[in-house]
Amino acid sequence: MNAKWTIDAKHSDVLIEARHSVLAYLEGGTNEFNGYVVMDDNIVEDAAVEFSLNVNHNYKKIEPMSSYSRLSDLFDQTEDPTIRFKSTSFQKVNKNINFIKGELTIKNVTKTLELDTEFMGMTNYDGHEKALFELSTKIKRSDFDLGYQSNPHSGIAIGQDIKLVANLEFAM
């Protein structure tokens, strides 16, 4: 029997990483996550994901080295600090490996990209069954008109590639 699960935004998050200086953890409690997966016997049959992240506030910063970088510096966003992703298709490869294709918008530039999607398994939390997924991709800052410059706060050059990792919880 197919069951439709929806994103538990409160327990979902996105990790943003750039080489040399910036790691940030954007929680679902302060950002928007929407979507669903359809599963049959723990096998994903269909999925759709949408999220909006505000890079100017409401995130926990993780600093593996001494740095004064800010997430808003990484995305060079002062007028529209929101990153948006909306899936357009889902491709199933096998039980655990899938791809979600969609539109990513940063600084009013929209690009189509594919996110590797891995089904991490099932768990029972507070009496609710959860399905756990990890979506990941790398983007080039230049594709979104994000300049390649030294960080104004630390002088450290910010890498050209940005890695996004979304940890999504779905509940019945």
Side-chain angles (χ1 to χ4, degrees), residues 4 9 14 30 35 51-53 77 85 93 106 115 121 123 138 142:
K4 188 172 185 177
V14 173
T30 56
F51 55 82
S52 298
L53 308 170
Q77 294 202 183
F85 176 79
V93 176
I106 302 172
L115 285 79
T123 188
K138 277 190 180 178
S142 59

Side-chain angles (χ1 to χ4, degrees), residues 16 55 71-77 83 106-107 146 162:
I16 298 175
V55 300
L71 194 56
S72 56
D73 296 331
L74 177 66
F75 287 101
D76 188 29
Q77 294 202 183
I83 297 171
I106 302 172
K107 279 184 68 174
L146 301 172
I162 296 171

Side-chain angles (χ1 to χ4, degrees), residues 5-21:
W5 300 61
T6 57
I7 286 182
D8 180 351
K10 187 175 175 185
H11 294 106
S12 296
D13 58 63
V14 173
L15 180 70
I16 298 175
E17 175 182 73
R19 196 161 304 279
H20 299 299
S21 62

Side-chain angles (χ1 to χ4, degrees), residues 84-88 100-115 137-146:
R84 293 174 182 82
F85 176 79
K86 184 173 184 176
S87 64
T88 56
I100 289 182
K101 187 179 277 187
E103 303 291 325
L104 180 69
T105 303
I106 302 172
K107 279 184 68 174
N108 295 317
V109 175
T110 301
K111 300 284 183 181
T112 300
L113 60 100
E114 190 171 82
L115 285 79
T137 194
K138 277 190 180 178
I139 62 171
K140 289 199 175 299
R141 295 178 69 233
S142 59
D143 288 347
F144 294 90
D145 296 329
L146 301 172

Side-chain angles (χ1 to χ4, degrees), residues 47 66 73 78 80 85 95 115 118-119 124 133 151:
S66 180
D73 296 331
T78 52
D80 184 6
F85 176 79
K95 181 179 179 181
L115 285 79
E118 185 176 357
F119 175 48
N124 193 314
F133 289 82
N151 182 299

Side-chain angles (χ1 to χ4, degrees), residues 61 65 91 160:
K61 187 169 173 189
M65 57 195 241
Q91 178 186 2
Q160 185 58 251

